[in-house]
């Protein structure tokens, strides 16, 4: 028993062959149990502290992980916030653009509404005009419409044919087989120069007579002291016949002649409204120009003295009147010197059956 009560001496341990210099605590035996209990409690406390440490470490790790996740989420939130701000900016721009487009659409809608209203008004006017056209068409198709007008026009042309047939009987233009030698100048040469289309038979003016009289330009172009006065008189008489026939045909067709005629038989005249005098620089003013241009100049359709130029120009103007009448009924002139040929073509066309149906 005594040996058991001996103090327990704790021998210092050697570490790596070297004795550690530490304070050694000597525990009495009777204090051993208390010390053992204390050591056990300390051991349990150490274990408990270790567990708490582990628990705290785990909590700390979980807290660190949570903080890391929170930081990551915060970064993500910041990025999402930036994206949201950019999207807000885009949405703001889109909203402004939408307002502008909406304003444009409103203006276009107002403009379209105005156009629709104008179209409705135009449609109403068009319907009224269409109705008037239909009424007019029915009126024209009736007894007093286009058919009646066509019948009246046909009667008018028949009346014109009858009157001009009287002119043709009064001044017959006939073809004579034989001709005098002095009339050969007006044969084929003048016809070729007049512009008759190739392939067509040229009209020999020397073979044509009006009331049995030949019409030539020989007395006008080659007039001399020894010229036949009777031939000159016959040509003047023939020109008087042509002038009277042209005047009658123009009155029956109701065509105002470009060059009016002053009839006088073999002493007939044709008028030209071109200025008759050459104005000098000192006398050039508006009043003199009006008075000069408004006064017609008369050219004789006969030889007056030895002045054959004025007579030749008068024949040219007479042929222009014939050309005007031919163009009025839709026929081309045979040439600038074909007076009798143009008159014969004029009478033939008007007296043809096709003239009534045109």
């Amino acid at each position: 028993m005594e040996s058991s009560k001996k103090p327990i001496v704790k021998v210092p341990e050697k570490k790596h062959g070297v004795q550690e210099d530490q304070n050694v605590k000597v525990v009495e035996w009777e204090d051993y149990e208390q010390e053992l209990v204390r050591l056990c409690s300390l051991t349990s406390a150490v274990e408990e502290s270790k567990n708490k440490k582990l628990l705290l470490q785990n909590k700390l790790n979980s807290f660190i992980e949570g903080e890391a996740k929170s930081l990551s989420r915060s970064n993500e939130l910041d990025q999402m916030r930036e994206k949201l701000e950019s999207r807000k900016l885009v949405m703001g721009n889109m909203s402004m653009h939408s307002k502008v487009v909406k304003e444009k659409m409103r203006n276009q809608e107002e403009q379209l509404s105005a156009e629709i209203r104008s179209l409705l008004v135009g449609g109403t006017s068009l319907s009224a005009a269409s109705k008037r056209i239909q009424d007019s068409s029915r009126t024209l198709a009736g007894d007093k419409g286009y058919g009646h007008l066509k019948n009246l026009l046909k009667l008018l042309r028949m009346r014109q044919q009858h009157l001009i047939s009287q002119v043709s009987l009064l001044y017959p233009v006939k073809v004579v087989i034989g001709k005098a030698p002095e009339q050969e100048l007006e044969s084929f040469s003048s016809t070729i120069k007049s512009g008759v289309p190739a392939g067509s038979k040229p009209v020999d003016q020397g073979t044509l007579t009006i009331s049995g009289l030949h019409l030539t330009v020989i007395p006008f172009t080659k007039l001399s002291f020894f010229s036949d006065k009777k031939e000159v008189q016959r040509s003047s008489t023939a020109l008087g016949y042509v002038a009277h026939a042209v005047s009658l045909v123009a009155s029956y067709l109701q065509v105002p002649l470009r060059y009016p005629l002053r009839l006088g038989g073999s002493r007939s005249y044709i008028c030209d409204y071109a200025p008759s005098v050459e104005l000098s620089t000192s006398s050039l003013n508006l009043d003199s120009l009006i008075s000069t241009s408004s006064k017609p100049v008369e050219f004789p359709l006969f030889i007056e003295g030895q002045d054959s130029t004025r007579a030749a120009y008068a024949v040219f103007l007479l042929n222009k009147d014939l050309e005007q009448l031919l163009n009025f009924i839709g026929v081309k002139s045979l040439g600038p010197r074909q007076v009798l040929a143009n008159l014969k073509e004029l009478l033939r066309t008007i007296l043809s059956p096709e003239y009534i149906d045109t």
Side-chain angles (χ1 to χ4, degrees):
M1 290 298 290
E2 292 178 357
S3 61
S4 61
K5 292 181 180 180
K6 290 181 179 180
I8 299 174
V9 179
K10 187 176 181 180
V11 181
E13 296 179 356
K14 292 183 179 180
K15 190 175 183 180
H16 302 293
V18 181
Q19 185 176 354
E20 294 182 356
D21 188 10
Q22 295 179 352
N23 293 324
V24 179
K25 183 178 180 181
V26 180
V27 178
E28 297 294 336
W29 180 255
E30 55 273 9
D31 297 331
Y32 173 72
E33 292 181 1
Q34 184 180 359
E35 188 69 23
L36 184 61
V37 172
R38 191 178 67 81
L39 288 174
C40 289
S41 63
L42 287 173
T43 303
S44 61
V46 169
E47 290 294 331
E48 186 178 358
S49 64
K50 286 182 178 180
N51 292 332
K52 287 182 178 180
K53 182 180 178 182
L54 289 173
L55 183 61
L56 289 173
Q57 188 174 0
N58 291 332
K59 288 182 177 181
L60 182 61
N61 289 335
S62 63
F63 178 75
I64 291 172
E65 290 178 359
E67 287 294 325
K69 290 181 179 180
S70 177
L71 183 61
S72 176
R73 288 179 181 178
S74 177
N75 292 334
E76 290 180 357
L77 285 174
D78 290 338
Q79 292 178 358
M80 292 176 68
R81 192 176 291 108
E82 290 178 359
K83 289 181 180 179
L84 183 61
E85 291 296 331
S86 62
R87 289 184 180 180
K88 282 183 179 180
L89 184 60
V90 172
M91 289 297 294
N93 294 333
M94 291 180 66
S95 177
M96 291 295 297
H97 182 67
S98 176
K99 288 180 180 179
V100 173
V101 171
K102 187 176 180 180
E103 185 68 20
K104 282 185 178 180
M105 291 297 294
R106 188 176 63 81
N107 294 333
Q108 290 180 359
E109 185 177 359
E110 292 178 356
Q111 184 178 1
L112 184 61
S113 299
E115 291 179 355
I116 289 174
R117 287 193 296 271
S118 64
L119 282 175
L120 290 175
V121 174
T124 305
S125 302
L126 184 62
S127 300
S130 178
K131 186 177 180 181
R132 289 195 298 270
I133 289 174
Q134 291 177 359
D135 295 339
S136 301
S137 298
R138 285 193 293 269
T139 304
L140 288 175
D143 296 335
K144 296 182 179 180
Y146 177 72
H148 181 63
L149 179 63
K150 191 172 182 181
N151 293 331
L152 289 178
L153 185 60
K154 187 174 181 180
L155 291 174
L156 175 63
R157 288 183 180 273
M158 292 175 64
R159 180 63 177 169
Q160 288 175 346
Q161 268 195 346
H162 175 70
L163 292 174
I164 292 174
S165 67
Q166 301 301 314
V167 176
S168 179
L169 291 175
L170 182 62
Y171 299 111
V173 180
K174 296 181 180 180
V175 179
V176 178
I177 297 176
K179 58 184 179 181
E182 63 270 11
Q183 295 165 351
E184 292 179 356
L185 183 62
E186 289 296 315
S187 299
F188 299 101
S189 60
S190 61
T191 305
I192 295 173
K193 294 178 182 179
S194 63
V196 179
S200 62
K201 185 178 179 181
V203 179
D204 189 356
Q205 187 176 354
T207 63
L208 295 176
T209 61
I210 179 169
S211 296
L213 296 177
H214 289 282
L215 175 63
T216 64
V217 192
I218 295 175
F220 299 157
T221 56
K222 294 186 176 182
L223 187 65
S224 65
F225 181 78
F226 300 101
S227 298
D228 189 358
K229 305 300 181 181
K230 291 184 178 180
E231 182 67 25
V232 174
Q233 183 63 34
R234 283 194 292 267
S235 295
S236 300
T237 304
L239 285 174
Y241 291 163
V242 174
H244 191 203
V246 169
S247 178
L248 290 175
V249 172
S251 64
Y252 296 153
L253 296 181
Q254 296 182 348
V255 177
L257 292 176
R258 186 177 295 110
Y259 304 104
L261 294 161
R262 185 166 69 85
L263 301 177
S266 61
R267 288 294 183 268
S268 298
Y269 290 85
I270 189 166
C271 301
D272 186 8
Y273 285 90
S276 59
V277 295
E278 295 182 359
L279 300 177
S280 61
T281 307
S282 59
S283 63
L284 185 59
N285 55 64
L286 183 60
D287 296 334
S288 62
L289 181 61
I290 293 174
S291 61
T292 306
S293 59
S294 61
K295 183 180 179 181
V297 182
E298 292 186 346
F299 292 91
L301 287 168
F302 57 90
I303 299 298
E304 187 176 9
Q306 300 295 320
D307 190 2
S308 61
T309 304
R310 292 172 59 85
Y313 185 66
V315 175
F316 172 77
L317 296 181
L318 180 62
N319 194 65
K320 281 295 180 181
D321 283 343
L322 281 167
E323 183 179 352
Q324 179 186 357
L325 295 174
L326 286 170
N327 292 335
F328 179 76
I329 61 174
V331 181
K332 293 182 65 176
S333 172
L334 298 177
R337 300 177 66 185
Q338 306 294 336
V339 177
L340 290 182
N342 284 331
L343 179 60
K344 183 176 179 60
E345 183 67 16
L346 177 66
L347 297 175
R348 184 197 65 79
T349 304
I350 296 176
L351 295 178
S352 64
E354 292 80 8
Y355 178 75
I356 298 177
D357 299 329
T358 55

